[in-house]
Amino acid sequence: MRLDVSGLASGYETLEVVRDVDLTVGESEWVALVGAVGAGKTAVMGAIAGSLPVRRGRVALDGVDVTALPAHERVRRGLTLVPEGRRLFAGMTVGENLAAGASRVRGREAKSRVERVLELFPVLAERRRQQVGTLSGGEQQMCAVGRALMTGPSLLLIDELSLGLAPVVLDGLLDALVNVRAEGTSLLVVDQDVETLLTYADRAYVLRSGGIVMSGIASSLLADASFAREYLGVP
C-alpha cells in the first residue's frame, strides 16, 4: 500500500502541533520518522491513522483520499497503528488480545493470522493463555505488534517501537518486521533509537517543531555530519 500525506496539520484541542507535513511511503517500503521528544511525531502518526483530526491537508491510501474517514474505516482499508504505550487489554490473555485484532474475520483466515503471528513471535505461543498485564514490556510490545498484524494491514504504523525494551528484544521485533515487510506490508516507524531504526529503513523524515526539516535515503542521513551531530550524539 502507498501512503501520501500532503500539507498535514493536526494537534490536540486548541493546540496545533504539526503543520505542512508532506511525506510518502511506497509499496513495501520501510520509512522512518525521527525527531526529538516533543517534535510532533505522535501527532503525525495519530492524524494519519485517524485517531487525531486532520485540520488541514490530505491523507491518501493508494490514491484514495481517506482524510475524513474515522480510524476504524482506515483499518478496514489496510492501515493499522501500534500506538505509543501499546494500549493492550491488560486483564485479557494474549490470545484474547490477538483475537480482538481480527474481529472482522473468522474461521480459517483468523486461524491463519494467529499462526503467522505466533510464528513471528514464538514467545507469545508460550504465553497465549497468560494475562497481558503480567507480561514483560518486551512481550507486551510483541503482543501489540501481533494484534496489529491480526488486522491484515497493508500499511503498518508503529509509534515508539523500542521504548523501554532490552536490545535483544528489539532485535527480535526488528527481525519480525523485516519478514513482514518482505511479505509486502509497508512500514512507517517512529523510534528514539535513531541509528538502529535507520539501519533498517529505506528512507527517513526528520521532524522538528512540528514540521519536516530533512528527508532522504536512510543510509545517506546516517552519513550526514549535521544529522549525526543532532540526532546521533556524534561530536
Side-chain angles (χ1 to χ4, degrees), residues 141 158-163 165 170 173-174 177 189-191:
Q141 186 70 320
I158 305 178
D159 192 2
E160 295 298 354
L161 175 66
S162 74
L163 188 64
L165 303 186
L170 177 59
L173 280 164
L174 289 166
L177 293 179
V189 183
V190 166
D191 199 58

Side-chain angles (χ1 to χ4, degrees), residues 20-36:
D20 299 324
V21 169
D22 297 332
L23 64 82
T24 64
V25 180
E27 291 189 15
S28 303
E29 187 179 32
W30 186 327
V31 174
L33 179 62
V34 302

Side-chain angles (χ1 to χ4, degrees), residues 1-205:
M1 174 177 283
R2 178 179 176 86
L3 169 70
D4 290 282
V5 175
S6 56
L8 180 71
S10 186
Y12 308 93
E13 298 180 352
T14 61
L15 179 63
E16 186 168 280
V17 177
V18 295
R19 63 201 65 83
D20 299 324
V21 169
D22 297 332
L23 64 82
T24 64
V25 180
E27 291 189 15
S28 303
E29 187 179 32
W30 186 327
V31 174
L33 179 62
V34 302
V37 174
K41 302 184 298 297
T42 293
V44 170
M45 300 289 267
I48 293 171
S51 56
L52 279 181
V54 174
R55 299 183 177 186
R56 295 184 305 280
R58 182 175 185 265
V59 178
L61 300 177
D62 286 339
V64 178
D65 191 339
V66 299
T67 311
L69 294 182
H72 68 274
E73 286 296 335
R74 300 188 200 195
V75 172
R76 288 172 65 93
R77 290 170 182 261
L79 187 162
T80 301
L81 169 67
V82 179
E84 181 182 8
R86 298 154 194 157
R87 300 181 193 172
L88 295 163
F89 302 110
M92 293 167 57
T93 66
V94 168
E96 290 167 339
N97 271 270
L98 294 180
S103 59
R104 291 186 175 89
V105 295
R106 296 287 187 275
R108 184 175 300 175
E109 179 60 25
K111 182 180 179 182
S112 175
R113 292 185 188 184
V114 170
E115 288 174 350
R116 181 56 180 145
V117 168
L118 298 183
E119 181 182 2
L120 287 168
F121 303 113
V123 69
L124 295 183
E126 301 171 12
R127 306 282 192 270
R128 192 167 179 175
R129 293 178 175 81
Q130 189 171 328
Q131 284 191 344
V132 162
T134 67
L135 301 179
S136 68
E139 291 165 347
Q140 288 185 13
Q141 186 70 320
M142 292 177 190
C143 189
V145 173
R147 183 178 64 179
L149 292 174
M150 289 292 292
T151 68
S154 299
L155 172 61
L156 181 62
L157 279 58
I158 305 178
D159 192 2
E160 295 298 354
L161 175 66
S162 74
L163 188 64
L165 303 186
V168 66
V169 176
L170 177 59
D171 287 345
L173 280 164
L174 289 166
D175 287 344
L177 293 179
V178 167
N179 287 322
V180 168
R181 183 268 190 91
E183 293 169 355
T185 301
S186 305
L187 300 171
L188 178 61
V189 183
V190 166
D191 199 58
Q192 289 300 317
D193 187 346
V194 174
E195 185 170 11
T196 298
L197 179 57
L198 265 61
T199 300
Y200 284 80
D202 300 303
R203 293 187 300 111
Y205 292 88

